[in-house]
PDB file of all heavy atoms in Angstrom:
ATOM      1  N   LYS A 825     100.656  71.047  98.656  1.00 93.00           N
ATOM      2  CA  LYS A 825     100.483  72.522  98.330  1.00 93.00           C
ATOM      3  C   LYS A 825     100.788  73.219  99.664  1.00 93.00           C
ATOM      4  O   LYS A 825     100.275  72.945 100.736  1.00 93.00           O
ATOM      5  CB  LYS A 825      98.987  72.760  97.900  1.00 93.00           C
ATOM      6  CG  LYS A 825      98.677  74.156  97.859  1.00 93.00           C
ATOM      7  CD  LYS A 825      97.216  74.348  97.354  1.00 93.00           C
ATOM      8  CE  LYS A 825      96.818  75.777  97.165  1.00 93.00           C
ATOM      9  NZ  LYS A 825      95.435  76.096  96.905  1.00 93.00           N
ATOM     10  N   PRO A 826     101.674  74.336  99.487  1.00 93.00           N
ATOM     11  CA  PRO A 826     102.050  75.146 100.621  1.00 93.00           C
ATOM     12  C   PRO A 826     100.988  76.229 100.976  1.00 93.00           C
ATOM     13  O   PRO A 826     100.174  76.586 100.073  1.00 93.00           O
ATOM     14  CB  PRO A 826     103.315  75.814 100.155  1.00 93.00           C
ATOM     15  CG  PRO A 826     103.202  75.897  98.667  1.00 93.00           C
ATOM     16  CD  PRO A 826     102.550  74.800  98.352  1.00 93.00           C
ATOM     17  N   TYR A 827     100.859  76.525 102.283  1.00 95.00           N
ATOM     18  CA  TYR A 827      99.982  77.561 102.764  1.00 95.00           C
ATOM     19  C   TYR A 827     100.735  78.432 103.627  1.00 95.00           C
ATOM     20  O   TYR A 827     101.488  77.933 104.479  1.00 95.00           O
ATOM     21  CB  TYR A 827      98.748  76.879 103.481  1.00 95.00           C
ATOM     22  CG  TYR A 827      97.840  76.098 102.743  1.00 95.00           C
ATOM     23  CD1 TYR A 827      98.005  74.766 102.492  1.00 95.00           C
ATOM     24  CD2 TYR A 827      96.690  76.708 102.176  1.00 95.00           C
ATOM     25  CE1 TYR A 827      97.088  74.027 101.735  1.00 95.00           C
ATOM     26  CE2 TYR A 827      95.926  75.996 101.319  1.00 95.00           C
ATOM     27  CZ  TYR A 827      96.120  74.583 101.228  1.00 95.00           C
ATOM     28  OH  TYR A 827      95.217  73.823 100.403  1.00 95.00           O
ATOM     29  N   ALA A 828     100.561  79.732 103.562  1.00 95.00           N
ATOM     30  CA  ALA A 828     101.153  80.744 104.414  1.00 95.00           C
ATOM     31  C   ALA A 828     100.216  80.770 105.578  1.00 95.00           C
ATOM     32  O   ALA A 828      98.902  80.833 105.420  1.00 95.00           O
ATOM     33  CB  ALA A 828     101.377  82.138 103.780  1.00 95.00           C
ATOM     34  N   LEU A 829     100.719  81.063 106.802  1.00 97.00           N
ATOM     35  CA  LEU A 829      99.842  81.209 108.034  1.00 97.00           C
ATOM     36  C   LEU A 829     100.250  82.409 108.764  1.00 97.00           C
ATOM     37  O   LEU A 829     101.337  82.886 108.782  1.00 97.00           O
ATOM     38  CB  LEU A 829     100.322  79.941 108.899  1.00 97.00           C
ATOM     39  CG  LEU A 829     100.276  78.513 108.423  1.00 97.00           C
ATOM     40  CD1 LEU A 829     100.652  77.603 109.384  1.00 97.00           C
ATOM     41  CD2 LEU A 829      98.855  78.190 107.871  1.00 97.00           C
ATOM     42  N   ARG A 830      99.172  82.850 109.363  1.00 96.00           N
ATOM     43  CA  ARG A 830      99.279  83.942 110.394  1.00 96.00           C
ATOM     44  C   ARG A 830      98.178  83.783 111.378  1.00 96.00           C
ATOM     45  O   ARG A 830      97.249  83.056 111.161  1.00 96.00           O
ATOM     46  CB  ARG A 830      99.163  85.315 109.750  1.00 96.00           C
ATOM     47  CG  ARG A 830      97.738  85.671 109.297  1.00 96.00           C
ATOM     48  CD  ARG A 830      97.600  87.069 108.813  1.00 96.00           C
ATOM     49  NE  ARG A 830      96.132  87.356 108.695  1.00 96.00           N
ATOM     50  CZ  ARG A 830      95.724  88.240 107.917  1.00 96.00           C
ATOM     51  NH1 ARG A 830      96.551  89.102 107.221  1.00 96.00           N
ATOM     52  NH2 ARG A 830      94.517  88.684 107.750  1.00 96.00           N
ATOM     53  N   SER A 831      98.381  84.338 112.601  1.00 97.00           N
ATOM     54  CA  SER A 831      97.406  84.417 113.567  1.00 97.00           C
ATOM     55  C   SER A 831      97.409  85.564 114.451  1.00 97.00           C
ATOM     56  O   SER A 831      98.493  85.921 114.978  1.00 97.00           O
ATOM     57  CB  SER A 831      97.520  83.027 114.441  1.00 97.00           C
ATOM     58  OG  SER A 831      96.474  82.982 115.508  1.00 97.00           O
ATOM     59  N   SER A 832      96.327  86.029 114.696  1.00 96.00           N
ATOM     60  CA  SER A 832      96.299  87.289 115.594  1.00 96.00           C
ATOM     61  C   SER A 832      95.915  86.783 117.043  1.00 96.00           C
ATOM     62  O   SER A 832      96.013  87.613 117.989  1.00 96.00           O
ATOM     63  CB  SER A 832      95.298  88.282 115.094  1.00 96.00           C
ATOM     64  OG  SER A 832      93.948  87.719 114.933  1.00 96.00           O
ATOM     65  N   SER A 833      95.481  85.615 117.226  1.00 96.00           N
ATOM     66  CA  SER A 833      95.184  85.127 118.513  1.00 96.00           C
ATOM     67  C   SER A 833      96.088  83.971 119.252  1.00 96.00           C
ATOM     68  O   SER A 833      96.071  83.784 120.254  1.00 96.00           O
ATOM     69  CB  SER A 833      93.774  84.571 118.433  1.00 96.00           C
ATOM     70  OG  SER A 833      93.665  83.444 117.506  1.00 96.00           O
ATOM     71  N   LEU A 834      96.911  83.414 118.292  1.00 97.00           N
ATOM     72  CA  LEU A 834      97.829  82.281 118.766  1.00 97.00           C
ATOM     73  C   LEU A 834      99.286  82.653 118.376  1.00 97.00           C
ATOM     74  O   LEU A 834      99.642  83.401 117.452  1.00 97.00           O
ATOM     75  CB  LEU A 834      97.461  81.041 118.028  1.00 97.00           C
ATOM     76  CG  LEU A 834      96.086  80.541 118.273  1.00 97.00           C
ATOM     77  CD1 LEU A 834      95.893  79.379 117.283  1.00 97.00           C
ATOM     78  CD2 LEU A 834      95.805  80.021 119.633  1.00 97.00           C
ATOM     79  N   ASN A 835     100.187  82.156 119.278  1.00 97.00           N
ATOM     80  CA  ASN A 835     101.575  82.236 119.011  1.00 97.00           C
ATOM     81  C   ASN A 835     102.023  80.951 118.221  1.00 97.00           C
ATOM     82  O   ASN A 835     102.222  79.898 118.844  1.00 97.00           O
ATOM     83  CB  ASN A 835     102.439  82.352 120.291  1.00 97.00           C
ATOM     84  CG  ASN A 835     103.887  82.487 120.053  1.00 97.00           C
ATOM     85  OD1 ASN A 835     104.355  82.461 118.881  1.00 97.00           O
ATOM     86  ND2 ASN A 835     104.640  82.764 121.110  1.00 97.00           N
ATOM     87  N   LEU A 836     102.207  81.164 116.913  1.00 97.00           N
ATOM     88  CA  LEU A 836     102.487  79.953 116.050  1.00 97.00           C
ATOM     89  C   LEU A 836     103.810  79.510 116.234  1.00 97.00           C
ATOM     90  O   LEU A 836     104.142  78.306 116.054  1.00 97.00           O
ATOM     91  CB  LEU A 836     102.277  80.326 114.561  1.00 97.00           C
ATOM     92  CG  LEU A 836     100.814  80.630 114.298  1.00 97.00           C
ATOM     93  CD1 LEU A 836     100.826  81.044 112.672  1.00 97.00           C
ATOM     94  CD2 LEU A 836      99.790  79.453 114.517  1.00 97.00           C
ATOM     95  N   ASP A 837     104.792  80.187 116.895  1.00 96.00           N
ATOM     96  CA  ASP A 837     106.072  79.677 117.259  1.00 96.00           C
ATOM     97  C   ASP A 837     105.970  78.522 118.229  1.00 96.00           C
ATOM     98  O   ASP A 837     106.787  77.573 118.169  1.00 96.00           O
ATOM     99  CB  ASP A 837     106.922  80.818 117.935  1.00 96.00           C
ATOM    100  CG  ASP A 837     107.446  81.769 116.828  1.00 96.00           C
ATOM    101  OD1 ASP A 837     107.463  81.523 115.743  1.00 96.00           O
ATOM    102  OD2 ASP A 837     107.797  82.953 117.370  1.00 96.00           O
ATOM    103  N   THR A 838     104.850  78.343 119.015  1.00 96.00           N
ATOM    104  CA  THR A 838     104.736  77.310 119.949  1.00 96.00           C
ATOM    105  C   THR A 838     104.620  75.956 119.186  1.00 96.00           C
ATOM    106  O   THR A 838     105.034  75.009 119.801  1.00 96.00           O
ATOM    107  CB  THR A 838     103.371  77.561 120.785  1.00 96.00           C
ATOM    108  OG1 THR A 838     103.535  78.808 121.406  1.00 96.00           O
ATOM    109  CG2 THR A 838     103.169  76.468 121.795  1.00 96.00           C
ATOM    110  N   TYR A 839     104.067  76.091 117.993  1.00 97.00           N
ATOM    111  CA  TYR A 839     103.859  74.824 117.300  1.00 97.00           C
ATOM    112  C   TYR A 839     104.850  74.589 116.128  1.00 97.00           C
ATOM    113  O   TYR A 839     104.587  73.552 115.405  1.00 97.00           O
ATOM    114  CB  TYR A 839     102.349  75.033 116.673  1.00 97.00           C
ATOM    115  CG  TYR A 839     101.431  75.106 117.728  1.00 97.00           C
ATOM    116  CD1 TYR A 839     100.960  76.549 117.871  1.00 97.00           C
ATOM    117  CD2 TYR A 839     100.977  74.242 118.539  1.00 97.00           C
ATOM    118  CE1 TYR A 839      99.972  76.669 118.854  1.00 97.00           C
ATOM    119  CE2 TYR A 839     100.022  74.362 119.606  1.00 97.00           C
ATOM    120  CZ  TYR A 839      99.501  75.674 119.689  1.00 97.00           C
ATOM    121  OH  TYR A 839      98.611  76.032 120.664  1.00 97.00           O
ATOM    122  N   ALA A 840     105.865  75.362 116.084  1.00 96.00           N
ATOM    123  CA  ALA A 840     106.974  75.250 115.076  1.00 96.00           C
ATOM    124  C   ALA A 840     107.547  73.834 115.114  1.00 96.00           C
ATOM    125  O   ALA A 840     107.934  73.342 116.160  1.00 96.00           O
ATOM    126  CB  ALA A 840     107.951  76.324 115.109  1.00 96.00           C
ATOM    127  N   ASP A 841     107.626  73.170 113.865  1.00 96.00           N
ATOM    128  CA  ASP A 841     108.359  71.852 113.706  1.00 96.00           C
ATOM    129  C   ASP A 841     107.524  70.829 114.453  1.00 96.00           C
ATOM    130  O   ASP A 841     108.063  69.722 114.917  1.00 96.00           O
ATOM    131  CB  ASP A 841     109.734  71.872 114.347  1.00 96.00           C
ATOM    132  CG  ASP A 841     110.564  72.904 113.429  1.00 96.00           C
ATOM    133  OD1 ASP A 841     110.357  72.782 112.167  1.00 96.00           O
ATOM    134  OD2 ASP A 841     111.454  73.561 114.036  1.00 96.00           O
ATOM    135  N   LYS A 842     106.145  70.952 114.655  1.00 96.00           N
ATOM    136  CA  LYS A 842     105.417  70.034 115.157  1.00 96.00           C
ATOM    137  C   LYS A 842     104.292  69.606 114.292  1.00 96.00           C
ATOM    138  O   LYS A 842     103.768  70.317 113.537  1.00 96.00           O
ATOM    139  CB  LYS A 842     104.713  70.528 116.640  1.00 96.00           C
ATOM    140  CG  LYS A 842     105.817  70.698 117.631  1.00 96.00           C
ATOM    141  CD  LYS A 842     105.191  70.995 118.959  1.00 96.00           C
ATOM    142  CE  LYS A 842     106.284  71.033 120.033  1.00 96.00           C
ATOM    143  NZ  LYS A 842     107.094  72.246 120.134  1.00 96.00           N
ATOM    144  N   GLN A 843     103.865  68.348 114.405  1.00 97.00           N
ATOM    145  CA  GLN A 843     102.720  67.733 113.582  1.00 97.00           C
ATOM    146  C   GLN A 843     101.415  68.289 114.299  1.00 97.00           C
ATOM    147  O   GLN A 843     101.217  67.916 115.388  1.00 97.00           O
ATOM    148  CB  GLN A 843     102.794  66.242 113.485  1.00 97.00           C
ATOM    149  CG  GLN A 843     101.986  65.591 112.402  1.00 97.00           C
ATOM    150  CD  GLN A 843     102.458  65.895 110.993  1.00 97.00           C
ATOM    151  OE1 GLN A 843     103.652  66.263 110.887  1.00 97.00           O
ATOM    152  NE2 GLN A 843     101.599  65.720 110.075  1.00 97.00           N
ATOM    153  N   VAL A 844     100.657  68.989 113.449  1.00 97.00           N
ATOM    154  CA  VAL A 844      99.373  69.471 114.059  1.00 97.00           C
ATOM    155  C   VAL A 844      98.202  69.376 113.081  1.00 97.00           C
ATOM    156  O   VAL A 844      98.434  69.104 111.842  1.00 97.00           O
ATOM    157  CB  VAL A 844      99.479  71.018 114.435  1.00 97.00           C
ATOM    158  CG1 VAL A 844     100.686  71.247 115.374  1.00 97.00           C
ATOM    159  CG2 VAL A 844      99.821  71.775 113.067  1.00 97.00           C
ATOM    160  N   VAL A 845      97.079  69.610 113.506  1.00 97.00           N
ATOM    161  CA  VAL A 845      95.847  69.867 112.823  1.00 97.00           C
ATOM    162  C   VAL A 845      95.364  71.312 113.065  1.00 97.00           C
ATOM    163  O   VAL A 845      95.244  71.614 114.258  1.00 97.00           O
ATOM    164  CB  VAL A 845      94.577  68.926 113.091  1.00 97.00           C
ATOM    165  CG1 VAL A 845      93.383  69.251 112.271  1.00 97.00           C
ATOM    166  CG2 VAL A 845      95.051  67.480 112.815  1.00 97.00           C
ATOM    167  N   LEU A 846      95.256  72.181 112.046  1.00 97.00           N
ATOM    168  CA  LEU A 846      94.889  73.540 112.350  1.00 97.00           C
ATOM    169  C   LEU A 846      93.631  73.872 111.682  1.00 97.00           C
ATOM    170  O   LEU A 846      93.278  73.226 110.666  1.00 97.00           O
ATOM    171  CB  LEU A 846      96.022  74.600 111.926  1.00 97.00           C
ATOM    172  CG  LEU A 846      96.517  74.694 110.516  1.00 97.00           C
ATOM    173  CD1 LEU A 846      95.503  75.581 109.741  1.00 97.00           C
ATOM    174  CD2 LEU A 846      97.924  75.120 110.448  1.00 97.00           C
TER     175      LEU A 846
END
Side-chain angles (χ1 to χ4, degrees):
K825 181 178 178 183
Y827 292 89
L829 307 174
R830 73 175 189 199
S831 181
S832 56
S833 60
L834 299 171
N835 180 357
L836 295 177
D837 284 339
T838 305
Y839 306 100
D841 298 320
K842 295 187 170 81
Q843 194 71 18
V844 301
V845 175
L846 64 82

